Amino acid sequence: MADYLRLPATCRNLFRVIVETPRGSAAKLAYEPKTGVFEYSRPLPVGNTYPYDWGFVPSTLGDDGDPLDGLVIHQAAAAPGVVIKCDLLGALRVKQRDPDGTKVRNDRYIFCPHKEDAPDEPVVASDVPHDLRREIEQFFLSSVLGTGKKIKLKGWQNAAEAKLSLTKGMKSFKRKFAD
């Protein structure tokens, strides 16, 4: 079984995103590193489904102790465990308060499959359009209902700013898991 957490984050200047929850799913799935499987985590609030493939960037570590989150904007739906090589479009900055009161930064990075690897018509080209940003914001605000978590949206980063944050997450992973 592949060790998804330790897969290199980048390949040929593209970011890898491991899909946990495919587009259209009404339940959140999560990779469980101890068993190497994708487990049912929880249902989404009634009427919600993932608008795009959701997963994580391997070999990164965020403030919450998990790999950095990624949403892959494309027309298809992958499956848990699929690795997609992506271009980075930007990030939605998120401040999260967990049920125990802990506050952490938990940004959502936005990607699209690299055009040579995904010849279908791209949904987005080089940035996240304004209307799509609002839809993504609404999804994330509603997706935490019933979890005890509260999130506050802190604005958007462009691709260059988001890349700096991803690089920081890669360095955090290397420090924690240096062999």
Side-chain angles (χ1 to χ4, degrees):
M1 178 56 86
D3 185 353
Y4 290 107
L5 294 182
R6 293 182 181 271
L7 188 68
T10 59
C11 171
R12 299 187 334 255
N13 293 321
L14 301 173
F15 284 95
R16 287 187 173 102
V17 178
I18 311 299
V19 175
E20 288 180 296
T21 307
R23 175 187 186 144
S25 178
K28 183 179 190 317
L29 306 178
Y31 176 64
E32 177 49 58
K34 290 179 182 141
T35 58
V37 299
F38 293 84
E39 296 181 347
Y40 176 88
S41 177
R42 64 180 171 83
L44 290 182
V46 172
N48 275 10
T49 60
Y50 276 85
Y52 299 101
D53 287 339
W54 173 252
F56 64 90
V57 180
S59 294
T60 62
L61 193 62
D63 291 347
D64 62 353
D66 292 335
L68 297 174
D69 297 321
L71 187 70
V72 182
I73 310 291
H74 64 132
Q75 297 171 347
V82 169
V83 179
I84 303 175
K85 291 179 281 186
C86 296
D87 292 306
L88 177 62
L89 300 174
L92 175 58
R93 295 174 36 241
V94 176
K95 187 69 105 173
Q96 177 176 304
R97 189 179 59 176
D98 291 335
D100 65 4
T102 305
K103 292 181 182 179
V104 294
R105 179 89 172 260
N106 194 4
D107 295 349
R108 275 65 165 172
Y109 294 88
I110 311 299
F111 299 92
C112 69
H114 187 63
K115 64 183 177 235
E116 280 87 30
D117 297 323
D120 65 338
E121 199 60 33
V123 176
V124 289
S126 61
D127 194 10
V128 183
H130 181 76
D131 288 345
L132 183 56
R133 286 180 183 209
R134 298 297 155 249
E135 291 174 15
I136 291 169
E137 290 170 1
Q138 288 306 308
F139 169 74
F140 286 122
L141 288 169
S142 65
S143 71
V144 297
L145 293 173
T147 65
K149 294 179 182 178
K150 303 251 190 255
I151 63 171
K152 192 176 270 190
L153 306 180
K154 306 298 273 178
W156 286 82
Q157 292 180 323
N158 64 30
E161 294 165 329
K163 185 175 182 180
L164 292 174
S165 297
L166 277 165
T167 301
K168 180 181 170 194
M170 291 163 50
K171 288 178 182 175
S172 294
F173 181 87
K174 283 182 182 173
R175 275 193 302 276
K176 183 170 183 176
F177 296 103
D179 292 329

